[in-house]
Amino acid sequence: MTIYSGPVFEMAATQFGVIADYLAIPEDVRPRILMPKRAVTVSCPIHRDDGSIAVFEGYRVQHHLTLGPTKGGTRFAPSVDIGEVAALAVWMSWKCALAGLPYGGAKGGICVDPSALSNREREALSRRYMQEMIPFVGPHTDVMAPDMGTDEQVMAWFMDTYSMYQGKTVAEIVTGKPVRAGGTLGRREATGRGVAYLTRRVMNDLQLRISGATAVVQGFGNVGSIAALELYNDGVKVIAVSDHTGALYRAAGLDIPDLITHAAKHGSLAGYSSELACDPAEILTLPCDVVIPAARERVIDADVADRLRCRIVAEGANGPTTPDADLVLARRQNEIFLIPDILCNSGGVVVSYFEWVQDLQQLFWEEEEVVRRQYQILDRAFDQMVVRARRDRVFNRTAAMAIGVERVRDAKHTRGLFP
Ligand code: GLU
């Protein structure tokens, strides 16, 4: 039992156990690599619009400092607790190490339903959270970014609150900011763009025709909607999408640009069409070429994994597949190619890294350079995963995580016990 105990941290620990066995990491070294270096819980009081005071609980978990500052998003969601945040921080570590970024993993969040807040309340909560975090973060300590329920505007409030305290602009304290406030071109699109890029790469490797292929996308936030749009622009028929309000299905392919316009105007897919509505629980198992879970953790369990009827699973979300489902997918790996989360959605943190570098240097890149360098890093990580999976005849997730874990292990071994 630890303060992190709960289903999501158990899942991260189980996955780590598989990798540690495969890498033959001695028992006494394992907690050193898995357990977060530090975690903080804060209370964030705000004035509600009706004049009352509400207090929200916020967290930040910094997994390790072995390779540089910690890096990771901040989530505003009702499901957030310290165990989920810790698991997400651990996954960020393997993700950053696999991409070769000079970071450890972190994650933070507030247990709140952001759709129940007015814009003023959201600003007050964002600012208060960052204010509470000031002693624990810094451009060379821990750098935040967006995640579920947060966006560029929240990052701008975080940056502004930290900067007020410092008495100067410190753009490099967070990434995922609006371009007009020190952000980088290509960050908003980066995660979805990376998901689509790797999906196309696997489709080419499997000799699947891209134009006319079919895809299902679960989640229509920043990751799902951009991935769907990129694929739509390549001629892929996105036959089903869903968000927390419901799902839509159209065998001939949905009009993704139109759906994005609707979601931007109304905040969700709700109200788009009652004719196209379908059961959200069923979309992952529709027959199609590509399934993209881009919403929450643990949506593909062993039963769903058994019933998948696709060629590629491209994990846009963090932790969408349970360890039990991994056993099924490993057995089915000749039928279904898995692009594991720590690779598939790493385009976001890769471009966050570019944003941090640009802010530190005050030298800004063209979007074309951002995208070119992003794809270069994704290709390198993908190649390393495939080579490793073939060499050791292991599942893609095992290969990808092992590369990340061993980089952290080796750096810790070389440095000592501090980080
Ligand atoms: N929240 C994103 C993730 O889970 C991005 C993190 C970042 O850019 O630092 O990868």
Side-chain angles (χ1 to χ4, degrees):
M1 230 359 222
T2 78
I3 56 158
Y4 308 115
S5 294
V8 193
F9 194 73
E10 296 314 291
M11 178 176 152
T14 304
Q15 288 176 337
F16 175 72
V18 171
I19 305 307
D21 287 345
Y22 160 59
L23 294 175
I25 297 177
E27 286 295 337
D28 63 320
V29 178
R30 296 183 183 198
R32 222 357 237 119
I33 302 173
L34 175 66
M35 297 311 287
K37 179 167 181 68
R38 53 197 176 205
V40 44
T41 303
V42 295
S43 291
C44 304
I46 62 162
H47 287 290
R48 300 299 303 247
D49 289 346
D50 65 6
S52 65
I53 295 172
V55 180
F56 297 91
E57 200 159 87
Y59 313 96
R60 185 82 183 161
V61 175
Q62 299 168 352
H63 181 220
H64 74 84
L65 294 174
T66 313
L67 296 166
T70 52
K71 185 83 195 77
T74 307
R75 176 172 287 203
F76 288 1
S79 64
V80 165
D81 63 32
I82 192 130
E84 183 192 53
V85 169
L88 290 159
V90 168
W91 290 328
M92 281 306 301
S93 287
W94 315 147
K95 189 187 306 189
C96 291
L98 174 65
L101 308 182
Y103 293 136
K107 202 71 153 206
I110 303 180
C111 179
V112 61
D113 174 4
S115 68
L117 299 176
S118 70
N119 204 42
R120 191 204 61 79
E121 291 170 336
R122 213 163 64 97
E123 174 170 357
L125 186 58
S126 302
R127 288 188 180 277
R128 185 60 193 236
Y129 175 78
M130 177 46 101
Q131 198 174 334
E132 294 298 334
M133 287 294 158
I134 286 173
F136 307 101
V137 298
H140 296 283
T141 309
D142 183 12
V143 181
M144 294 183 187
D147 197 83
M148 191 187 288
T150 59
D151 57 14
E152 294 186 328
Q153 178 59 69
V154 172
M155 296 308 114
W157 290 324
F158 282 175
M159 186 272 263
D160 190 64
T161 304
Y162 188 85
S163 297
M164 279 162 63
Y165 173 81
Q166 298 285 335
K168 62 185 179 199
T169 293
V170 188
E172 59 273 24
I173 184 62
V174 295
T175 60
K177 302 177 296 294
V179 174
R180 61 184 177 279
T184 181
L185 294 166
R187 174 62 185 88
R188 194 174 56 78
E189 300 82 0
T191 313
R193 197 176 256 166
V195 170
Y197 178 76
L198 291 170
T199 300
R200 283 194 299 265
R201 199 182 144 162
V202 174
M203 289 175 93
N204 284 327
D205 290 353
L206 297 178
Q207 293 175 341
L208 291 175
R209 256 194 74 210
I210 293 178
S211 175
T214 50
V216 164
V217 181
Q218 181 193 53
F220 210 66
N222 183 246
V223 181
S225 67
I226 304 278
L229 182 64
E230 288 261 325
L231 293 176
Y232 171 92
N233 287 337
D234 289 331
V236 172
K237 288 191 283 181
V238 182
I239 58 169
V241 298
S242 69
D243 70 2
H244 63 286
T245 65
L248 300 163
Y249 171 81
R250 186 166 179 265
L254 293 157
D255 184 339
I256 299 299
D258 201 37
L259 281 173
I260 289 178
T261 308
H262 178 91
K265 197 158 156 212
H266 303 279
S268 72
L269 296 173
Y272 180 76
S273 157
S274 50
E275 259 161 61
L276 302 179
C278 71
D279 181 358
E282 295 304 319
I283 70 165
L284 292 177
T285 52
L286 288 169
C288 63
D289 295 303
V290 186
V291 165
I292 304 182
R296 304 193 34 83
E297 300 93 78
R298 298 163 63 237
V299 293
I300 301 181
D301 58 15
D303 171 57
V304 173
D306 246 332
R307 293 190 293 122
L308 288 172
R309 284 177 287 173
C310 59
R311 298 296 312 280
I312 300 167
V313 173
E315 295 182 333
N318 292 309
T321 306
T322 67
D324 283 350
D326 270 344
L327 298 176
V328 177
L329 291 181
R331 183 163 42 75
R332 298 184 67 189
Q333 62 186 316
N334 292 332
E335 281 165 80
I336 300 174
F337 189 100
L338 173 79
I339 316 176
D341 53 359
I342 61 165
L343 169 64
C344 193
N345 69 36
S346 66
V349 72
V350 166
V351 177
S352 275
Y353 165 61
F354 297 159
E355 180 173 332
W356 181 70
V357 165
Q358 292 170 73
D359 285 338
L360 286 169
Q361 298 188 341
Q362 290 295 301
L363 179 69
F364 291 89
W365 309 352
E366 300 295 333
E367 183 158 5
E368 178 271 323
E369 183 172 5
V370 170
V371 176
R372 182 178 55 77
R373 285 184 180 232
Q374 174 187 350
Y375 290 169
Q376 211 171 28
I377 291 182
L378 294 182
D379 276 331
R380 186 181 62 197
F382 183 89
D383 290 341
Q384 289 169 346
M385 176 188 79
V386 169
V387 166
R388 182 70 172 252
R390 285 210 192 112
R391 188 194 77 186
D392 291 356
R393 293 191 201 320
V394 291
F395 185 41
N396 284 346
R397 183 176 333 275
T398 308
M401 283 185 62
I403 295 168
V405 169
E406 73 192 354
R407 285 182 182 155
V408 174
R409 176 201 61 187
D410 293 349
K412 280 188 188 290
H413 184 74
T414 308
R415 282 191 56 175
L417 283 183
F418 161 71

